[in-house]
């Protein structure tokens, strides 16, 4: 049936599953069980059903006409009672609780007009919606699709209508306590996507004539309406989108905007499809790419095919539907095998659903990492680690060790440093002329193993010390030294900041401590410094050999970008309302996925990802001397510091930045995405190991989590998910806006925390801009990292 069905596939490969539903806009009654089975048998997984029927429609129309006439006759009275829609009767609906009811998707009446400026029409429409939602909820239906507004606020004088619609949906949630409500709305206002059923407003003689169609289509107006609806509904977890896919796809910015929203269905009408050479329905490559992208979501959307058949036969014609039309399990299995191996044209197969099954098989399979880890962690909030105040469990270390890329880069950095040691004429601190390496915060020892490998690969002898404060990990390190390292490592249990350096003297003699040549650590967090790497390395820097000792990493930078993340915002709202009062004050570690980067690409001097600040190690001696003087109270005037009660010993690790991002299209900001880059080692002799595949790019061995650079600098690395700094209230901004992001890294010598805020500005002249919005100052002080 389809040109490419004869391709062979590995049936062990895992691909996202397509769930395909059928919707008929002309259907006025719930299908019988036989009709329901007929539709399922033609290749669909579920169907929609109207909640009420034509009898109810006619009854509401009669009520509306009578109410409008009454209002016209009594318009001078000054007070007219709202019409009341009577309760449903058995003549008004064919939907009843039954075996298959929970598997049906209810579709509310498309003829109601919640946006009408006529109070009678909007009141009747709201009552109809509540009656239908309440009854569907009673019957056991779990999802109700509500047709979205047919015009947006971009139309002059129509903003009240969108607000009315949003308020009606918000009210419906209190009526349908166990149902999800799905707003059926187009990706943009492509004319062919609108509902064809006449609205109740058609009977309003006082309404103005229908305005002429705009020649230009505002691509973001439908999204604007959706944003108003979900904002009024307070990001309710039961509110979703059924997105009508147009025949002509819009710019990528709009596609990614909808990608970040809570999509429940992607809906396709016959006008969206093309006809291929064989005369069968197909979709363009752009549509295929969109589908394949959206299906990578952990909660992937379902498909809803609208008005594409099949035509169901009436139960009154038994010759048309018999038990022979429904295959046995054996026959169904045989048909499935045939469709998977070449032929999809088995009896009754719908051509549109068959095509989507074809696309399902032609997706890129999920790799092992996506199946086991990445997909499950999509947009899942995790509290940042506090390794200084907490002792990690073995399973946490094991997760870290599951990323070979990071440790390969570390090994390459150590090897590069060892190879250049003699070339640079550096002294060696080992008693027998070895390079002394200390792994600070060794955990279960993966970096120790890599340091020993680097020594073996370069032929440079080393003496390795493993320093770890976790008493449980210390036991594991001792075991590793016995079994894996052959006693070549000295294991020390202590906080790295209290370590005095390699002990050189015998136990019976007064202690004599040596120096370290290479200090290796993996203290980096999702925002580089958020797990207190600067403070930890400051505390152990005294063991480095003066003038020649180096740190791996040598430096690291934090980067940020404003993002739209409705799903994450909704999750945090739920946490804040439930039990976590600090949910909006917490910088969350999260694998950001269903998000939209609102800042434009390629703007000179204002890139999408901007550097917030940098830390480098080791610190200059003058800085360390000043720190010690403050800590000892030796600063003239007694110190004082930047925070009350602090002497300012850690003020050199405080930071502040202001970043400006340009947004071409209007949108909403829910928070800031944070990333980092780290230079583990930079060649001092100009060596570049890129051609040799040694993990070095432009003379540097680096790590990067920046979306634009991770594949170039540390391809396939998964050790760090981004960090998310939430805003308590979403910040809406108009087109051509500059978002100004201010961030602070604060400290009072006892803890470290972040503060952040976002402001929106528009230029009104070449020399003046005005503020059009802004967030409040957010602070993580209540959940600060303890030193």
């Amino acid at each position: 049936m389809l040109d490419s069905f004869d391709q062979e596939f590995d049936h062990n490969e895992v691909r996202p599953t397509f769930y395909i539903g059928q919707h008929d806009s002309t259907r006025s009654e719930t299908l019988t069980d036989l009709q329901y089975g007929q539709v399922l048998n033609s290749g669909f997984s579920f169907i929609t059903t109207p909640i009420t029927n034509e009898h109810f429609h006619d009854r509401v129309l009669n009520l509306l006409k009578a109410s409008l006439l009454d209002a016209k006759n009594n318009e001078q009275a000054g007070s007219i009672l709202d019409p009341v829609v009577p309760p449903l009767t058995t003549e008004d609906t064919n939907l009843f609780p039954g075996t298959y009811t929970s598997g049906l998707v209810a579709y509310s009446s498309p003829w109601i007009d919640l946006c009408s400026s006529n109070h009678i029409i909007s009141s009747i429409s709201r009552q109809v919606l509540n009656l239908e939602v309440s009854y569907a909820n009673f019957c056991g239906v779990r999802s109700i699709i509500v047709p979205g507004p047919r015009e947006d606020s971009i139309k002059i004088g129509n903003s009240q209508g969108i607000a009315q619609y949003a308020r009606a949906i918000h009210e419906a949630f209190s009526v349908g306590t166990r149902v999800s409500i799905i707003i059926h709305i187009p990706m943009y206002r492509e004319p062919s996507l609108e509902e064809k059923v006449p609205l109740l407003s058609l009977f309003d003689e006082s309404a103005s004539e229908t305005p002429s169609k705009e020649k230009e289509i505002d691509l973001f107006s439908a999204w604007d309406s959706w944003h108003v609806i979900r904002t009024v509904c307070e990001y309710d977890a039961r509110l979703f989108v059924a997105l009508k896919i147009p025949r002509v796809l819009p710019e990528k910015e709009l596609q990614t905007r909808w990608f970040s929203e809570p999509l429940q269905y992607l809906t396709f009408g016959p006008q969206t499809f093309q006809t291929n050479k064989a005369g069968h329905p197909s979709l363009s490559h752009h549509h295929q790419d969109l589908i394949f992208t959206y299906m990578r979501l952990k909660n992937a959307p379902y498909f809803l095919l609208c008005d594409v058949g099949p035509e169901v036969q009436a139960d009154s014609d038994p010759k048309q539907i018999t038990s022979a039309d429904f295959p046995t399990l054996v026959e169904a299995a045989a048909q499935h095998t045939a469709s998977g191996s070449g032929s999809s044209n088995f009896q009754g197969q719908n051509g549109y659903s068959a095509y989507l099954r074809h696309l399902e098989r032609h997706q890129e399979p999920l790799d092992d990492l996506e199946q086991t880890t990445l997909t499950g962690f999509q947009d899942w909030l995790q509290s940042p680690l506090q390794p200084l105040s907490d002792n990690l469990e073995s399973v946490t270390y094991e997760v870290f060790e599951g990323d070979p890329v990071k440790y390969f880069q570390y090994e390459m950095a150590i090897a590069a440093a060892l190879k250049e040691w003699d070339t640079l004429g550096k002294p060696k601190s080992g008693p027998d002329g070895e390079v002394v390496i200390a792994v600070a915060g060794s955990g279960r020892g993966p970096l120790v193993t890599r340091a020993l490998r680097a020594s073996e690969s370069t032929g440079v002898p080393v003496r390795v010390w493993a320093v770890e404060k976790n008493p449980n990990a210390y036991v594991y390190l001792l075991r590793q030294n016995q079994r894996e390292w052959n006693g070549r490592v000295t294991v020390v249990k202590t906080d790295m900041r209290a370590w005095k350096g390699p002990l050189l003297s015998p136990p019976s003699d007064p202690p004599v401590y040596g120096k370290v040549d290479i200090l290796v650590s993996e203290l980096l967090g999702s925002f580089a410094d958020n797990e207190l790497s600067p403070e930890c390395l400051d505390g152990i820097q005294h063991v480095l050999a003066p003038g020649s000792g180096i740190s791996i990493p040598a430096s690291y930078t934090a980067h940020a970008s404003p993002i739209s993340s409705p799903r994450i915002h909704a999750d945090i709202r739920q946490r804040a309302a439930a039990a976590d009062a600090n949910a909006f004050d917490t910088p969350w570690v999260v694998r950001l996925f269903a998000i939209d980067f609102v800042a434009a690409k390629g703007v000179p001097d204002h890139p999408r990802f901007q550097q917030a600040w940098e830390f480098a190690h080791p610190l200059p001696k003058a800085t360390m001397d000043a720190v010690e003087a403050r800590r000892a109270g030796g600063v003239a005037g007694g110190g004082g510091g930047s925070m009350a009660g602090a002497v300012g010993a850690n003020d050199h690790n405080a930071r502040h930045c202001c970043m400006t991002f340009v947004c071409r299209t209007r949108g909403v900001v829910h928070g800031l995405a944070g990333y980092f880059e780290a230079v583990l080692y930079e060649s001092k002799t100009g060596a570049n190991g890129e051609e040799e595949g040694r993990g070095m790019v432009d003379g540097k061995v680096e790590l990067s989590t920046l979306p634009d650079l991770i594949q170039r600098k540390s391809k396939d690395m998964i050790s760090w998910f981004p960090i998310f700094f939430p805003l308590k209230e979403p910040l809406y901004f108009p087109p051509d806006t500059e978002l100004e992001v201010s961030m602070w890294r604060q400290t009072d010598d006892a803890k470290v925390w972040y503060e952040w805020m976002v402001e929106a500005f528009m230029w009104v002249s070449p020399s003046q801009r005005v503020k059009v919005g802004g967030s409040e100052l957010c602070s993580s002080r209540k959940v600060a990292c303890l030193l």
Side-chain angles (χ1 to χ4, degrees), residues 151-163 221 224-225 228:
E151 289 187 347
D152 305 310
S153 297
I154 194 72
K155 301 285 187 181
I156 296 175
N158 198 51
S159 58
Q160 177 186 352
I162 302 300
S221 67
D224 259 336
S225 295
V228 172

Side-chain angles (χ1 to χ4, degrees), residues 271-316:
Q271 71 280 356
T272 310
F273 289 84
Q274 303 172 347
T275 302
N276 63 17
K277 294 179 180 179
H280 301 299
S282 63
L283 292 170
S284 71
H285 288 297
H286 296 297
H287 286 85
Q288 294 175 36
D289 290 342
L290 178 140
I291 289 173
F292 295 155
T293 299
Y294 283 20
M295 290 305 294
R296 243 48 188 186
L297 290 163
K298 178 173 63 175
N299 298 313
Y302 291 4
F303 295 88
L304 191 62
L305 293 176
C306 305
D307 299 325
V308 299
E311 294 184 7
V312 294
Q313 304 296 330
D315 284 354
S316 59

Side-chain angles (χ1 to χ4, degrees), residues 563-586:
I563 63 170
S564 176
S565 54
R567 299 179 190 229
I568 296 175
H569 179 80
D571 188 354
I572 297 176
R573 283 181 73 108
Q574 282 189 309
R575 291 168 185 253
D580 189 353
N582 297 318
F584 277 109
D585 299 316
T586 303

